[in-house]
Amino acid sequence: MEQTSQLVQTITRGIQEKKGSNIVIADLSGIDGAICHYFVICQGSSPAQVEAITESVGDFARKELSEKPTAVAGLENAHWVAMDYSDVLVHIFLPDVREYYDLEHLWDDARLTRIPDLD
């Protein structure tokens, strides 16, 4: 679990590097039937920023931990990009798409940690 925790921290730094905002970490590890241990959810203000955050997360995970996602979906329009690191799923949204899908509340019994935005 230590490696997964390190991955979540590294992903968070990758998001912050490109000024991703409203970062929420949902801990699903105690939920039976959950598809992974953690969701890392954030948003960018434009499709270009969503793409930049996606690239930054991938770079940080690869350079610091030699981790690569098993799949990346949504780059075609960059409104919602999902990156699958098996135990960690990263969701990078445009604000209106994030509000619509409301993943934080979809998993009501997950423990949520909100990361303050960097200035």
Side-chain angles (χ1 to χ4, degrees):
M1 200 60 152
E2 178 61 32
Q3 186 175 357
T4 302
S5 183
Q6 275 187 310
L7 180 58
V8 168
Q9 292 172 9
T10 301
I11 288 167
T12 301
R13 286 195 306 278
I15 293 167
Q16 291 172 326
E17 175 71 18
K18 295 300 178 183
K19 307 286 190 239
S21 61
N22 295 329
I23 302 169
V24 174
I25 299 167
D27 182 347
L28 309 174
S29 60
I31 301 173
D32 288 338
I35 58 175
C36 63
H37 293 296
Y38 291 94
F39 275 1
V40 180
I41 305 163
C42 72
Q43 64 193 49
S45 59
S46 67
Q49 187 182 20
V50 168
E51 286 182 33
I53 294 166
T54 302
E55 186 175 323
S56 180
V57 167
D59 288 348
F60 270 67
R62 187 177 59 258
K63 289 175 184 171
E64 293 186 16
L65 302 173
S66 298
E67 293 276 355
K68 292 181 181 178
T70 57
V72 177
L75 274 173
E76 307 80 35
N77 59 18
H79 292 185
W80 173 8
V81 174
M83 303 177 78
D84 184 351
Y85 284 94
S86 296
D87 287 340
V88 181
L89 289 178
V90 184
H91 300 275
I92 307 163
F93 288 99
L94 289 178
D96 57 330
V97 178
R98 180 180 185 172
E99 185 178 328
Y100 179 80
Y101 287 101
D102 197 16
L103 290 186
E104 291 92 332
H105 294 102
L106 183 64
W107 295 90
D108 276 342
D109 37 0
R111 193 179 83 234
L112 301 180
T113 302
R114 298 182 189 285
I115 308 296
D117 291 347
L118 297 179
D119 291 334

